[in-house]
Amino acid sequence: MPKVIKKLREKILAEADRQMREVGYGAMTIQSIAKGCGAGVGTVYNYFASKDEIVIACIAAAWMKRMDVIRAVSQYSQTSDAVIRCIYAQIQMFGEEHAYIFKNPTAANSVDGAIFRYIWFLSSQLAEPLRKFCKSDTEAQLIAEALLAWIRTGKSCGE
């Protein structure tokens, strides 16, 4: 009977994240992730089709935690300024937290295409907590897109 590993998807993501931080994206393989989880390579492929899919899943899980913070601040905030500053700070912390991916040329190249494909989804998520302060959905969407573009320039929220 095959062994059952509880919460294997979460273990795969945690192991991949650990390996990217410790040995780097290039040295991390499906085989090394499987070994680190105590699972077979085929079992890992049952959850993820590729190494890049695992990396994107790691990033997505971390992003959702940041969105939870943004939603909480938005729920209790009375001003758009507080929400915009929170969004900016969360995006900035997310980038710093995942610098080992975004500053590694091979990893960044690999995930950049996926992030580009999801940019509309990301800006839609960021627009959601802004809607209560905006006259229209379009205005909230434009502010969210501007924040995503602004963070890429490296400016601080106070500039």
Side-chain angles (χ1 to χ4, degrees):
M1 174 180 271
K3 68 180 175 181
V4 176
I5 302 172
K6 293 183 184 213
K7 297 186 178 188
L8 183 55
R9 185 179 195 283
E10 292 83 2
K11 287 182 181 182
I12 291 167
L13 295 177
E15 180 62 20
D17 191 62
R18 184 192 68 76
Q19 287 188 27
M20 283 187 287
R21 289 177 195 274
E22 292 179 10
V23 299
Y25 173 86
M28 180 186 75
T29 64
I30 296 285
Q31 292 79 7
S32 67
I33 294 168
K35 184 178 179 183
C37 292
V41 172
T43 303
V44 173
Y45 278 113
N46 286 335
Y47 288 86
F48 300 98
S50 68
K51 175 172 126 173
D52 291 341
E53 193 175 297
I54 294 171
V55 173
I56 294 300
C58 285
I59 292 170
W63 176 256
M64 293 314 295
K65 289 177 184 172
R66 295 292 176 188
M67 281 305 303
D68 289 344
V69 171
I70 293 166
R71 286 184 187 107
V73 167
S74 172
Q75 183 177 2
Y76 298 105
S77 182
Q78 300 300 314
T79 67
S80 60
D81 186 57
V83 176
I84 289 170
R85 287 182 183 283
C86 176
I87 290 170
Y88 187 89
Q90 292 301 310
I91 295 170
Q92 189 173 38
M93 285 187 280
F94 177 80
E96 290 168 3
E97 196 173 79
H98 294 87
Y100 62 92
I101 295 171
F102 300 128
K103 292 185 179 179
N104 176 310
T106 307
N109 208 19
S110 181
V111 299
D112 208 33
I115 290 172
F116 182 76
R117 286 192 304 274
Y118 294 114
I119 201 77
W120 183 86
F121 178 71
L122 295 175
S123 64
S124 293
Q125 281 186 321
L126 293 172
E128 175 192 322
L130 293 167
R131 284 191 176 94
K132 74 178 188 180
F133 303 107
C134 296
K135 295 176 185 169
S136 68
D137 286 348
T138 303
E139 184 178 42
Q141 187 73 29
L142 288 171
I143 292 169
E145 289 172 13
L147 283 166
L148 284 170
W150 192 24
I151 195 79
R152 293 186 74 119
T153 68
K155 293 182 180 177
S156 74
C157 199
E159 292 180 41

